Amino acid sequence: MATMDQKLRTLYLMDIMLERTDEEHLLNASQLCSILENEYGISAERRTIYSEMDILKKYGLDVIQKKGKNPGYYVGSRAFELPELKLLVDAVQSSKFITEKKSKELITKLEKLCCRSDAAILSKYVFIVNRPKTENETVYYNVDYIHTAIY
């Protein structure tokens, strides 16, 4: 079972880094050890965290280590920057052919592409009252069929 925990530890650390860190929200090795222990039941030492961060860097995750007064790690670049996500959220919200339910689902998925603090900004950013939306859920899928047919 310990081998499985070791393999999962790397994946959990990647999730933690993607969900909770950015340039303004760093996590140090001790904090990462605590999160792993408290939330996932996986024990780790600080030295283990250092090697795990190297593995994540080699994998391609842009893990930045800040040294100095408040040291820690954070994810430097992501697939989408916050302004790009705001643009996509606005496009989803303003689209009349996407139902309100589907809009919420899509925005929730977009929020997963950034850290929690930015996701909170997106949640506040998207609240629009009385925007005209369709009630027909099939329109969303019909657009996909049309795109496929054109392709």
Side-chain angles (χ1 to χ4, degrees):
M1 189 64 176
T3 308
M4 181 66 84
D5 286 350
Q6 291 173 352
K7 292 177 180 179
L8 287 174
R9 181 178 55 222
T10 306
L11 297 173
Y12 287 141
L13 280 171
M14 184 171 73
D15 285 346
I16 292 166
M17 293 298 292
L18 288 169
E19 288 176 10
R20 304 179 191 198
T21 67
D22 60 22
E23 200 169 338
E24 297 169 8
H25 302 92
L26 288 75
L27 292 173
N28 62 37
S30 297
Q31 292 169 317
L32 290 167
C33 288
S34 295
I35 293 169
L36 283 172
E37 180 68 39
N38 296 333
E39 296 181 22
Y40 301 102
I42 296 175
S43 61
E45 297 178 7
R46 286 184 306 125
R47 284 178 281 147
T48 306
I49 299 297
Y50 305 145
S51 63
E52 294 286 351
M53 290 298 133
D54 288 337
I55 290 169
L56 290 174
K57 286 179 190 178
K58 288 178 184 173
Y59 177 69
L61 189 64
D62 186 24
V63 177
I64 309 288
Q65 181 180 14
K66 181 181 173 190
K67 297 181 181 183
K69 187 177 178 183
N70 295 316
Y73 296 97
Y74 66 94
V75 174
S77 65
R78 299 167 186 273
F80 291 95
E81 295 177 16
L82 184 59
E84 294 170 326
L85 289 172
K86 285 180 178 179
L87 183 67
L88 292 171
V89 165
D90 190 45
V92 168
Q93 273 292 11
S94 63
S95 178
K96 293 180 181 180
F97 71 89
I98 301 176
T99 64
E100 191 171 331
K101 178 184 172 198
K102 185 52 92 175
S103 292
K104 288 178 183 177
E105 289 174 13
L106 289 170
I107 291 167
T108 300
K109 289 177 183 181
L110 289 171
E111 287 173 352
K112 291 180 182 179
L113 297 174
C114 59
C115 70
R116 288 180 181 175
S117 59
D118 288 346
I121 292 170
L122 285 179
S123 294
K124 292 176 185 174
Y125 178 76
V126 302
F127 186 71
I128 300 170
V129 180
N130 296 329
R131 170 114 352 141
K133 292 286 211 179
T134 185
E135 297 293 323
N136 187 353
E137 188 83 24
T138 61
V139 172
Y140 174 78
Y141 298 102
N142 290 340
V143 170
D144 182 50
Y145 297 143
I146 292 169
H147 279 268
T148 304
I150 291 172
Y151 179 71

